[in-house]
Amino acid sequence: MLRKGTVISMTEKILPNRLDRGFNQYQQELEAKALEVLRSGWYVLGPEVESFEREFAEYTGAGYCVGLASGLDALWLAFRVLGIGSGDEVIVPANTYIASVMGITINGATPVFVEPDAFYNLDPSRLEKHLTPNTKAVLAVHLYGQACDMERILSFCRRHGLRLVEDCAQSHGACFKGRITGTFGDIGCFSFYPSKNLGAFGDAGAIVTDNKEIAADMKMYRNYGSERRYYNKVVGANSRLDELQAGLLRVRLKHLAALNEERKRLANRYGSELKNPQLILPQVREGAESVWHQYVIRTDRREELIRYLEQRGIGTLIHYPVPPHLSEAYACLGHHRGDYPLTEKYADTVLSLPMYYGMTEQEQEFVISVLNSFE
Ligand SMILES: *Cc1c(COP(=O)(O)O)cnc(C)c1O
């Protein structure tokens, strides 16, 4: 531990994220796989995608995985396949990334926002009062890598005959009471955007499900609504996972357990060494195991702290500064500041600390020492 007030210095700026470091960790394996795919002559929906789907289904314990082009596609196609659209309401956390909400509204369905609990996730105690005769589904988002209280959310859905979709874009491998996120509901939606815990080298996504029909429909939708070439049953999408991304994801999937451990180590160090009373540190829900997609603190003096860190060569990010209900994109929903005060308070005070694969002990020590010296 450094004495309070002691600030070591770094020659290189510390960025909120360093994707190059993540690449360097498995550079040889990744390069070999990239060349293999490039030389294979098969680039879309081929053997790498099939293998990845099998391996990712196995990893999650789900019956099926269907590779897609992005996390957003996974979300909107999930609701499409479940038949949720115009006139239907979907309960969604107010405190989430806007893609969660877009997955609902692209289908013409209405998002019904619910305030978060102390762990930044959907507060199960508030679900009941948002229920209407039009409620068809709940979208549980495991934000920042931590599972929602899936026991209570699942029982709410069962009690009221609702569909349950999970947004696992930030929770690859995260568990609640030993069960992996993405396998509680009808469909688990994943993004493999490069900065996610399991990241591709471009856009990529997938769904997992135990339902054979849902998996088959999803395969049809991702490929222009066709099961048989040039015979189209529905108006689908072009949301095919490509061979290069699937191959590279397979390389990383093999190391995902170790990678999540690395994030956990970084998070534990932040948790045990950050001693500044002005910072509210993240807590882990009982029964949940976080994979720490982000390490998010809160402070009422955020702007000052950002400047203080910036002056010392440390970059941070805000996840997210504008909650979806206040976003310009959703002005049509007619929400105002004050509608979801807890969500708005979080949006005004959260700050994500640097956290990435390959972050050195020295780098983290520097970040911690600067944060502890902020007065
Ligand atoms: C990243 C993310 C998405 C969207 O994934 P893309 O692959 O970028 O489309 C959806 N929901 C959450 C919570 C995310 O973090």
Side-chain angles (χ1 to χ4, degrees):
M1 275 294 293
L2 289 160
R3 222 165 17 92
K4 193 172 153 71
T6 314
V7 176
I8 54 176
S9 67
M10 300 287 290
T11 47
E12 205 183 356
K13 208 170 137 48
I14 295 179
L15 304 173
N17 206 345
R18 289 286 302 260
L19 299 180
D20 55 332
R21 296 277 185 86
F23 168 66
N24 292 343
Q25 286 178 319
Y26 302 105
Q27 181 171 357
Q28 279 185 344
E29 271 179 90
L30 290 165
E31 286 181 354
K33 179 56 83 176
L35 278 180
E36 183 191 327
V37 175
L38 291 175
R39 287 168 177 164
S40 75
W42 197 338
Y43 306 119
V44 172
L45 294 186
E48 293 292 339
V49 171
E50 267 177 42
S51 299
F52 174 72
E53 289 174 341
R54 194 174 53 246
E55 289 159 8
F56 196 65
E58 209 165 284
Y59 174 80
T60 58
Y64 307 90
C65 167
V66 179
L68 300 165
S70 74
L72 175 62
D73 282 357
L75 288 161
W76 80 260
L77 288 169
F79 291 109
R80 181 67 56 96
V81 163
L82 292 174
I84 291 167
S86 182
D88 298 333
E89 292 175 4
V90 179
I91 290 176
V92 60
N95 187 54
T96 186
Y97 180 50
I98 200 162
S100 314
V101 184
M102 288 186 181
I104 297 164
T105 59
I106 287 171
N107 289 294
T110 305
V112 175
F113 296 111
V114 174
E115 289 267 59
D117 57 18
F119 308 97
Y120 304 110
N121 277 330
L122 200 56
D123 183 345
S125 72
R126 296 174 192 256
L127 292 172
E128 211 81 38
K129 69 166 183 265
H130 292 281
L131 195 70
T132 79
N134 296 325
T135 311
K136 290 285 152 46
V138 172
L139 175 59
V141 185
H142 308 293
L143 205 67
Y144 306 149
Q146 180 163 204
C148 300
D149 183 342
M150 291 316 285
E151 210 159 64
R152 290 175 68 190
I153 292 172
L154 194 58
S155 95
F156 171 80
C157 289
R158 291 212 171 118
R159 213 159 48 244
H160 301 288
L162 306 176
R163 297 291 202 164
L164 175 58
V165 178
E166 295 173 74
D167 182 340
C168 306
Q170 304 189 0
S171 73
H172 315 76
C175 289
F176 184 71
K177 301 206 169 159
R179 186 162 157 195
I180 201 161
T181 51
T183 62
F184 289 87
D186 297 282
I187 303 178
C189 302
F190 289 84
S191 163
F192 307 118
Y193 182 76
S195 64
K196 309 293 188 187
N197 285 41
L198 178 59
F201 294 81
D203 280 304
I207 62 99
V208 298
T209 182
D210 278 333
N211 185 311
K212 194 175 173 181
E213 282 77 45
I214 287 176
D217 281 353
M218 199 55 90
K219 285 190 171 176
M220 176 174 73
Y221 267 97
R222 76 173 169 190
N223 196 18
Y224 294 113
S226 83
E227 281 169 330
R228 202 174 127 211
R229 204 169 202 179
Y230 305 130
Y231 291 82
N232 305 73
K233 276 172 73 168
V234 294
V235 179
N238 171 357
S239 185
R240 300 171 297 218
L241 178 59
D242 66 70
E243 287 286 287
L244 191 57
Q245 299 307 335
L248 297 172
L249 283 167
R250 290 181 67 204
V251 171
R252 279 201 158 156
L253 180 57
K254 279 192 293 189
H255 304 291
L256 183 55
L259 289 167
N260 279 338
E261 272 308 309
E262 185 184 345
R263 276 188 131 82
K264 197 156 143 191
R265 224 172 25 248
L266 292 167
N268 286 344
R269 186 165 184 209
Y270 274 139
S272 65
E273 295 187 19
L274 285 175
K275 299 288 183 202
N276 192 328
Q278 298 184 77
L279 313 179
I280 301 170
L281 305 187
Q283 304 300 313
V284 177
R285 181 195 309 284
E286 197 178 330
E289 204 182 304
S290 181
V291 292
W292 298 103
H293 176 62
Q294 299 292 347
Y295 192 89
V296 178
I297 62 165
R298 261 181 19 243
T299 170
D300 290 328
R301 295 170 58 207
R302 184 172 68 184
E303 297 320 309
E304 277 173 84
L305 180 59
I306 291 172
R307 224 174 319 117
Y308 185 81
L309 291 165
E310 195 59 55
Q311 282 162 356
R312 286 153 185 81
I314 298 168
T316 49
L317 290 172
I318 298 169
H319 297 98
Y320 299 91
V322 184
H325 73 279
L326 295 181
S327 165
E328 198 182 335
Y330 286 120
C332 53
L333 295 175
H335 293 295
H336 299 101
R337 185 161 269 279
D339 286 355
Y340 302 94
L342 204 47
T343 299
E344 292 162 18
K345 185 177 140 200
Y346 287 171
D348 291 341
T349 54
V350 291
L351 188 66
S352 305
L353 302 185
M355 159 79 90
Y356 45 85
Y357 298 133
M359 185 176 198
T360 66
E361 270 186 43
Q362 202 194 5
E363 284 172 335
Q364 195 179 17
E365 181 165 306
F366 178 61
V367 174
I368 291 167
S369 74
V370 172
L371 282 163
N372 283 342
S373 72
F374 176 67
E375 290 185 326

